[in-house]
């Protein structure tokens, strides 16, 4: 019997109440101590008036480009928001969680001027996550085009993923969600549900993808078994790829991403369905599925945006992970050692803001986006 068949059978048994003890919710909240080497933080508003900002990129020489989920790309320069949006942005499906998503500049931006945008494309009845590439010049995107589109064709406006990260070899990682209603497809390598793909700069599958040789597997898949990855970052000091993903009710995960690995969704999860029922009777990852370093239980923080702090402004934070929280309305600083999350500090809880993205600026300061109709860019600097 396949693991999927076992998974379905166990769910039926749980639903019938025949394994009441084994299917009960025995999740435990895990509280980590606060890191001892924190900093007093000064929070300033750089700019406000952004409509549900989603992604942020820093331009060489100063300035920022910020995506608005509703479909515009905005330029911030000299502390002011340009009156007109950047032109040349693709048409997006601005539906529920969908719209214009992340933005990333490649390592060679100063010579190539290329900008990458992820976005939801299609209609409410058939949509995908897509990747757009264009050349940025003086407030405009030129010579742009879609270079990659997911094989999902899902309905509804949920779980698009959409975060972008460039690797040292020039390839890029793009995260995808499970489409919410299609969670079992996250174990199917014949589509892109619940995967992270690795692409060449032109959108073609990168060579050396470890799952490319498997029968029926799409050649651009890097990892699979994810629910909805909305944070990915590569530590410039170690090369470790970090990502987090949304659980349902509880079970948000922090993972180290390694090519070829299966992260278990929905076969293994500590989260509950929104009805309160167990999604799976399996909570231990075993040898077949990569276990998370951190799970948020029993409640979800709804993580979005992820950065590895490397800089001089907050020397006691070096190597720590900065994670935005939407439902949790805070910024989490997680310290990791020897593959374990050992401490966690909650920042910005008094702001009352959903944190959509977090980035470390060229100045070593921390910048976050608040996810509201009147969203803002906040800047964190040391107050001590």
């Amino acid at each position: 019997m396949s693991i999927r068949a076992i998974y379905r059978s166990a769910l039926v048994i749980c639903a019938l109440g025949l394994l009441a003890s084994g299917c009960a919710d025995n999740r435990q909240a895990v509280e980590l101590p606060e890191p001892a080497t924190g900093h007093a933080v000064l929070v300033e508003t750089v700019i406000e008036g952004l409509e549900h900002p989603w992604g942020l990129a820093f331009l060489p020489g100063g300035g920022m480009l910020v995506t608005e989920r509703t479909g515009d790309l905005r330029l911030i320069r000299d502390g002011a928001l340009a009156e007109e949006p950047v032109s040349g942005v693709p048409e997006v499906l601005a539906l529920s969680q969908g719209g214009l998503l992340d933005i990333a500049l490649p390592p060679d931006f100063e010579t190539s001027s290329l900008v990458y945008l992820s976005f939801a494309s299609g209609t409410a009845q058939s949509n995908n996550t897509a990747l757009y590439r264009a050349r940025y010049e003086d407030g405009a995107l030129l010579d742009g085009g879609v270079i990659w589109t997911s094989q999902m064709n899902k309905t509804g406006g949920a779980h698009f993923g959409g975060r972008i990260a460039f690797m040292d070899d020039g390839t890029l990682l793009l995260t995808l969600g499970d489409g919410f209603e299609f969670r079992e497809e996250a174990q199917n390598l014949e589509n892109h549900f619940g995967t992270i793909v690795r692409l060449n700069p032109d959108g073609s599958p990168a060579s050396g993808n470890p799952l490319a040789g498997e029968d029926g597997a799409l050649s651009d898949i890097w990892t699979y078994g994810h629910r909805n990855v909305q944070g990915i970052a590569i530590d410039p000091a170690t090369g470790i790829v970090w990502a987090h993903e949304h659980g349902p009710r509880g079970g948000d995960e922090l993972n180290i991403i390694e090519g070829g690995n299966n992260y278990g969704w929905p076969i293994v999860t500590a989260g509950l369905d929104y009805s309160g029922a167990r999604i799976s009777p399996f909570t231990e990852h075993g040898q077949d599925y990569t276990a998370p370093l951190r799970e948020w239980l029993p409640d979800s923080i709804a993580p979005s945006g992820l950065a590895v702090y490397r800089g001089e402004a907050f020397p006691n934070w070096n190597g720590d992970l900065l994670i935005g929280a939407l439902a949790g309305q805070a910024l989490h600083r997680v310290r990791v050692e020897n593959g374990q999350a050992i401490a966690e500090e909650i920042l910005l809880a008094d702001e009352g803001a959903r944190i959509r993205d977090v980035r470390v600026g060229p100045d070593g300061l921390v910048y976050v986006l608040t996810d509201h109709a009147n969203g803002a860019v906040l800047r964190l600097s040391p107050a001590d």
Side-chain angles (χ1 to χ4, degrees), residues 40-362:
V41 174
L42 174 66
V43 181
E44 302 171 278
T45 299
V46 176
I47 204 77
E48 53 189 357
L50 296 166
E51 191 169 0
H52 293 286
W54 212 96
L56 166 67
F58 298 97
L59 292 168
M64 311 174 207
L65 293 172
V66 180
T67 61
E68 294 178 317
R69 181 167 48 79
T70 46
D72 284 332
L73 178 62
R74 308 301 301 273
L75 171 64
I76 299 171
R77 186 165 45 200
D78 299 325
L81 181 66
E83 183 175 350
E84 294 297 324
V86 173
S87 61
V89 175
E91 182 178 353
V92 307
L93 174 66
L95 173 68
S96 186
Q97 298 172 5
L100 185 59
L101 304 175
D102 207 6
I103 179 170
L105 309 184
D108 66 349
F109 175 80
E110 292 196 62
T111 56
S112 71
S113 300
L114 293 176
V115 170
Y116 290 74
L117 299 170
S118 62
F119 66 102
S121 67
T123 67
Q125 292 72 41
S126 178
N127 54 71
N128 297 279
T129 303
L131 188 64
Y132 182 87
R133 183 178 69 171
R135 182 168 51 85
Y136 176 77
E137 183 178 309
D138 194 25
L141 296 183
L142 307 174
D143 306 320
V146 175
I147 61 171
W148 185 89
T149 302
S150 66
Q151 295 186 32
M152 293 160 70
N153 297 317
K154 69 180 188 63
T155 58
H159 290 199
F160 292 92
R163 290 292 178 191
I164 309 167
F166 279 90
M167 305 186 79
D168 288 341
D169 62 3
T171 63
L172 65 91
L173 300 175
L174 174 66
T175 73
L176 288 308
D178 68 348
F180 188 74
E181 299 287 350
F182 310 92
R183 62 192 184 199
E184 286 189 25
E185 292 300 315
Q187 292 294 320
N188 183 359
L189 294 174
E190 295 179 357
N191 59 53
H192 288 121
F193 286 103
T195 64
I196 296 175
V197 296
R198 178 170 165 262
L199 307 171
N200 291 316
D202 64 359
S204 61
S207 62
N209 284 342
L211 297 167
E214 294 200 16
D215 187 32
L218 298 179
S219 59
D220 49 14
I221 293 177
W222 183 244
T223 59
Y224 66 113
H226 302 286
R227 186 170 184 264
N228 190 26
V229 179
Q230 288 197 342
I232 190 167
I234 301 173
D235 187 341
T238 66
I240 293 175
V241 181
W242 295 96
H244 57 59
E245 61 187 81
H246 287 245
R249 285 180 53 184
D252 300 337
E253 295 183 0
L254 173 65
N255 289 294
I256 291 178
I257 301 301
E258 296 179 336
N261 287 9
N262 182 349
Y263 289 80
W265 175 260
I267 294 173
V268 183
T269 177
L272 297 180
D273 213 337
Y274 294 107
S275 67
R278 288 213 61 83
I279 289 170
S280 171
F282 307 115
T283 58
E284 299 298 326
H285 285 72
Q287 296 182 349
D288 294 330
Y289 307 102
T290 302
L293 275 70
R294 174 83 169 103
E295 288 179 288
W296 283 272
L297 297 168
D299 299 317
S300 293
I301 65 169
S304 185
L306 171 63
V308 182
Y309 188 82
R310 297 290 180 186
E312 297 181 359
F314 296 96
N316 294 331
W317 291 7
N318 265 312
D320 291 351
L321 307 181
L322 302 175
I323 299 171
L326 295 165
Q329 298 189 358
L331 180 68
H332 291 240
R333 178 172 68 96
V334 178
R335 173 150 297 172
V336 291
E337 285 185 6
N338 301 318
Q340 298 295 323
I342 63 167
E344 186 167 359
E345 180 183 15
I346 309 300
L347 301 162
L348 304 186
D350 56 350
E351 293 289 324
R354 289 163 50 89
I355 304 301
R356 173 60 72 180
D357 198 14
V358 53
R359 307 280 171 141
V360 179

Side-chain angles (χ1 to χ4, degrees), residues 6-16 183 278-281:
I6 295 172
Y7 164 69
R8 294 191 187 101
S9 298
L11 290 184
V12 171
I13 294 171
C14 286
L16 293 174
R183 62 192 184 199
R278 288 213 61 83
I279 289 170
S280 171

